[in-house]
Structures are given as structure tokens and as C-alpha cells.
Amino acid sequence: RLGAGPGGIEDIKRHAFFSTITWDKLMKRLVPPPFKPAVSRVDEAFYFDTEFTSRTPKGEALPPPPSSLC
């Protein structure tokens, strides 16, 4: 599988599918996202299919994300 060999992530970064990505800019968050959802809360799930949002979660609940992500 791509990325599982000795080249690791570099194999993925060199793949033709990702040839238009400037990885340094992406890592520095200088690349604008192609789509930014309009959400009003950090836990908004409007853009997720109800097939997934209607399911009962399994396992332990995760802590809320840091407020810096809001």
C-alpha cells in the first residue's frame, strides 16, 4: 500500500495524484481549504450523512476539542 513501504509518507507526497500540493505551504497552513463548512458550533454535524449521525456511539466519549479549534 502507498506509504507503507520504506519511503513512508514521502511515497505518498511524490505520487502523481498529489503533484499539485505544495507540502511546505500546507504544513504552515498557508493553503486555503477548498471547502469550509458554515457551522455555528464546534460539534456541528450538519454536513455528515444521517447514516452516521443516527448511530449510537460505542466506547468512551472523547473530551471536547480545544477552544482554539473553534
Side-chain angles (χ1 to χ4, degrees), residues 1-66:
R1 297 191 179 210
L2 190 60
I9 188 73
E10 295 303 318
D11 289 342
I12 296 171
K13 290 165 72 173
R14 285 190 299 267
H15 191 277
F17 183 82
F18 300 108
S19 65
T20 61
I21 295 177
T22 306
W23 293 99
D24 290 333
K25 286 185 177 182
L26 185 67
M27 291 297 293
K28 293 175 184 173
R29 297 179 181 243
L30 299 174
V31 179
F35 170 74
K36 188 169 182 179
V39 295
S40 58
R41 298 184 343 233
V42 70
D43 61 347
E44 182 67 61
F46 175 78
Y47 292 98
F48 290 93
D49 192 299
T50 55
E51 174 187 352
F52 305 106
T53 59
S54 63
R55 293 182 182 179
T56 302
K58 296 179 183 177
E60 296 181 34
L62 296 174

